[in-house]
Each structure stands twice: as C-alpha cells, then as structure tokens.
C-alpha cells in the first residue's frame, strides 16, 4: 500500500491481509493510476482536509482539528484488478474476472459480490482502461453540468488526463471543441484523439482568439480543468455573454488572479462548480456516480473514448515515491502515471 507519511513523502508500507466473507471476492490489483490533481494536494499537504475539518452536517470547512492527518494511507481512486478468490456464496463473479473501481494504491481489495458484479470489465479490452472509471465519471459529470448542445463551441482549459477525457466527451456531444494547454505534447495528443483545435496560452489573447473564431460572440461554454485561477479567469473572459463556465479543477489556496469586477460582472457569467459528490439538480432522479462511471467504461469498451493513449508511464508500485516526485516537480514530463502490482 502507498502511504503519504508526511508532506511530499510517499512510501510503500505493508498492510495486513483480511479474511474473505461468504458474499465477498478478493481482487488482486493489476493497475492503479495516480491522479495528478486531487492526489497531489494530499501529497503536498495543500488539501483542505489536512488543514481544516469538514463538517458533514453543515457542509462547511471549519478551523480547529483536521479531517485527515499524516500518514494518509491508501489514497487513490483509479484501480482495476483481477478476482483471485471468491466466497462460498458467490455466484455472479468468478475467478479471473477483471473489476474496475476505487480502492486506493494497494495490492488487493475485498469487495462484496454485488459491488464487483456491477463492475466487471469486458475481457476483450485493454484492462488498463479500468483505471479511468472514476476520472471518467468526473469528466462526464462536467459535460452534464455544462449542458452542451450540438453545434456549440466549447473551450476546454487544461489538457491533462481529465481535460483530455472532457474534450473527447464534448466532441461526442456534438460540440466544436477547442483545447487550451501550455504543454505542446498534450495539445498534439488532443488533436490525435479528435479535438478540433488547440491554442497555446503562451501566445496570449485566448479570449480574443476564440471570439475571432466565433464572430465576436465567444464560447458557448468553457470547461476549466486545470485547478489554476489564472486559467479560470481566462475561461470567464472567453465565454459568451450570459453563458457559463464549469469549473472542475481542484483550486488550492486563495483565488489569486481572479478579477471578478471585469468580464465576470459585465457579461453576467455563470460559474458552476462541477464535483463528483453530486450531479446537476435537474438530473438527480436519473443520474448518480455509478451511472457516470459505468457509462464512461461502456464508452471506452465500445471504442468511443480513447483512454489507453493517455497513459505515459507504467512503474512498479515500489517506485511510487519516484512517481509522485516526478508529477510534483516535472508535470510536463508525464500525463497518466500508472502503478503496477506483481501478483503475490
């Protein structure tokens, strides 16, 4: 299991093996992906759960004690594994089935039969796509929050892993998609995966260039997937009058770079937080987190979402410390980093 033993220190530690219940299955982890956004906030110590306490009843962060403290064990939410043992009452899952889900960077997990049976990956596909169930759900939730219509212009700020998936889904939804990212390799990959246009923010005037492409109107919707306040501000500048910006990036610290008295105020821009704890109120009777994740997996299995090409590195779990250091200090050198686990 990977443990953040202190700020910017990731170590592999031993975890006791648990007994198997009659209605449970034991899953050996094959691959576990690292989230270069949310996970790094825990690795770096900037995550608000490490600095404040989340009051679930009032849904407020409050000062005083913290929700988490180091060591933070088993963080991670991008896993796929193979069933290696089943309980005596299990009939819907068999040894050898591949299961996608979320159980952290650990060599194995025990799941109930009911949960595992709902998350069996097709044996005909690359098992690595199973690590993308949660990040795929997050990306699809952004698309639902954005309320994209056929023929609209959508600008995606940030072409990391979630941004790449968001861009593909926006295209599937019928949008003309423009991606914005400062890393050339990510822009090139986005074009390869079907995005229509890309822009380098280093060239400046993103909002001006998008307006020039849309007859002065601006984007119908902007999707912010960077976690960067300056990018969020540019997204606000880029979107059309009385339109919306969906923010999925996990912003850290104070909102430096936002000038809310400018375009936000004068253009009546709606800023929507897209976060996986829920879906848009109008959709709650039909959509939930499981449907989001299973839909993303179905689209990948059908070849409509290209996820395997997002993987840039595969490293044995023993090199987790190196993997997190690389993502922390040289993010431009990696996209999706995957940890692999040898079978016991």
């Amino acid at each position: 299991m990977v443990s953040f033993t202190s700020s910017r220190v990731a170590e592999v530690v031993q975890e006791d093996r648990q007994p198997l219940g009659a209605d449970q299955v034991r899953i050996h982890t094959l691959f576990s992906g690292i989230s270069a956004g949310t996970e790094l906030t825990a690795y770096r110590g900037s995550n608000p759960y490490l600095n404040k306490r989340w009051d679930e009843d009032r849904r407020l962060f409050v000062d005083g004690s913290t929700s988490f403290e180091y060591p933070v064990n088993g963080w991670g939410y991008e896993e796929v594994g193979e069933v290696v043992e089943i309980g005596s009452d299990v009939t819907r899952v068999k040894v050898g089935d591949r299961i996608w889900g979320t159980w952290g960077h650990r060599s194995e997990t025990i799941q109930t039969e009911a949960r595992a049976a709902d998350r069996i990956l097709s044996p005909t596909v690359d098992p690595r796509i199973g690590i993308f169930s949660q990040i795929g759900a997050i990306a699809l939730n952004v698309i639902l929050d954005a309320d994209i219509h056929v023929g609209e212009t959508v600008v995606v700020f940030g072409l990391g892993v979630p941004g790449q998936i968001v861009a593909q889904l926006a295209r599937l939804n019928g949008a003309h998609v423009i991606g914005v990212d400062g890393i050339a390799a990510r822009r090139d990959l986005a074009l390869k995966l079907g995005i229509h246009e890309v822009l380098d923010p280093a060239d400046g005037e993103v909002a001006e260039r998008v307006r020039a492409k849309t007859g002065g109107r601006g984007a119908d919707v902007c999707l912010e997937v960077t976690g960067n306040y300056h990018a969020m501000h540019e997204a606000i500048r880029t979107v059309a009058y009385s339109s919306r910006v969906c923010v999925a990036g996990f912003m850290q610290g104070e909102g430096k770079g936002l000038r809310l008295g400018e375009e936000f105020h004068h253009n009546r821009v709606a800023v929507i937080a897209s976060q996986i704890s829920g879906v848009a109120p109008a959709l709650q009777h039909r959509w939930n987190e499981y449907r989001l994740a299973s839909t993303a997996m179905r689209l990948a299995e059908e070849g409509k979402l290209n996820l395997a090409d997002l993987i840039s590195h595969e490293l044995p779990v023993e090199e987790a410390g190196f993997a997190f250091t690389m993502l922390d200090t040289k993010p431009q050198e990696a996209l999706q980093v995957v940890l692999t686990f040898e079978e016991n």
Side-chain angles (χ1 to χ4, degrees):
M1 174 182 65
V2 176
S3 172
F4 302 150
T5 53
S6 61
S7 175
R8 286 185 160 87
V9 178
E11 299 179 356
V12 177
V13 299
Q14 293 300 313
E15 188 175 29
D16 293 337
R17 204 174 201 215
Q18 300 300 312
L20 193 67
D23 66 339
Q24 294 178 324
V25 302
R26 190 184 306 276
I27 302 168
H28 167 71
T29 305
L30 297 173
F31 304 100
S32 185
I34 297 175
S35 160
T38 301
E39 277 194 71
L40 285 188
T41 68
Y43 173 74
R44 292 167 174 156
S46 65
N47 191 296
Y49 284 94
L50 287 164
N51 301 289
K52 295 184 177 182
R53 179 175 60 84
W54 174 246
D55 185 327
E56 184 65 41
D57 293 334
R58 294 183 292 169
R59 298 196 65 80
L60 290 172
F61 280 103
V62 296
D63 293 325
S65 61
T66 62
S67 295
F68 297 154
E69 59 183 21
Y70 292 114
V72 179
N73 295 324
W75 199 277
Y77 54 82
E78 302 179 12
E79 285 73 49
V80 64
E82 184 173 290
V83 176
V84 294
E85 184 183 1
I86 61 174
S88 58
D89 293 343
V90 173
T91 60
R92 298 168 56 202
V93 180
K94 64 182 184 299
V95 171
D97 281 344
R98 291 167 175 169
I99 309 297
W100 54 263
T102 298
W103 55 81
H105 304 304
R106 43 175 44 95
S107 60
E108 70 172 40
T109 182
I110 290 177
Q111 305 276 323
T112 64
E113 175 189 22
R115 182 175 180 84
D118 284 341
R119 291 164 174 80
I120 297 175
L121 189 68
S122 168
T124 64
V125 301
D126 183 340
R128 297 178 303 166
I129 71 172
I131 70 167
F132 293 97
S133 64
Q134 183 76 352
I135 202 71
I138 291 167
L140 181 53
N141 207 26
V142 176
I143 300 300
L144 296 182
D145 283 325
D147 191 25
I148 297 167
H149 303 96
V150 173
E152 291 188 326
T153 296
V154 173
V155 180
V156 179
F157 285 81
L159 295 172
V161 172
Q164 295 279 355
I165 302 174
V166 163
Q168 291 187 57
L169 290 170
R171 177 178 55 78
L172 287 176
N173 218 44
H176 180 86
V177 185
I178 301 172
V180 181
D181 199 286
I183 299 175
R186 296 183 179 183
R187 298 195 302 271
D188 292 343
L189 178 60
L191 289 171
K192 173 186 172 184
L193 298 182
I195 200 171
H196 299 98
E197 301 179 60
V198 291
L199 298 174
D200 184 352
D203 294 336
E205 298 188 338
V206 170
E208 289 81 354
R209 283 184 283 167
V210 171
R211 277 179 159 71
K213 294 174 181 291
T214 56
R217 181 184 62 249
D220 295 287
V221 63
C222 286
L223 311 177
E224 189 289 313
V225 205
T226 67
N228 182 287
Y229 287 110
H230 291 283
M232 179 179 170
H233 182 71
E234 195 62 21
I236 291 170
R237 295 188 69 238
T238 301
V239 78
Y241 177 83
S242 203
S243 295
R244 69 172 54 185
V245 175
C246 286
V247 179
F250 191 7
M251 303 291 181
Q252 300 294 292
E254 296 182 356
K256 185 176 181 180
L258 287 176
R259 297 184 293 279
L260 299 182
E262 298 180 4
E263 290 83 5
F264 169 75
H265 180 76
H266 289 79
N267 287 339
R268 293 175 50 88
V269 174
V271 177
I272 307 296
S274 184
Q275 206 268 352
I276 196 60
S277 64
V279 296
L283 303 176
Q284 287 178 356
H285 64 296
R286 292 186 284 116
W287 284 88
N288 57 25
E289 187 173 342
Y290 171 72
R291 185 179 178 187
L292 290 168
S294 59
T295 299
M297 288 294 92
R298 176 176 56 80
L299 291 171
E301 290 179 346
E302 293 173 352
K304 295 176 182 177
L305 267 183
N306 186 327
L307 300 176
D309 279 356
L310 302 180
I311 297 172
S312 61
H313 294 73
E314 290 186 28
L315 301 169
V317 67
E318 290 78 13
E319 296 184 28
F322 168 79
F324 277 97
T325 298
M326 175 176 61
L327 286 169
D328 183 32
T329 61
K330 299 177 180 179
Q332 72 281 1
E333 295 184 3
L335 193 56
Q336 179 64 70
V337 176
V338 176
L339 301 176
T340 62
F341 292 76
E342 290 186 4
E343 190 161 359
N344 294 331

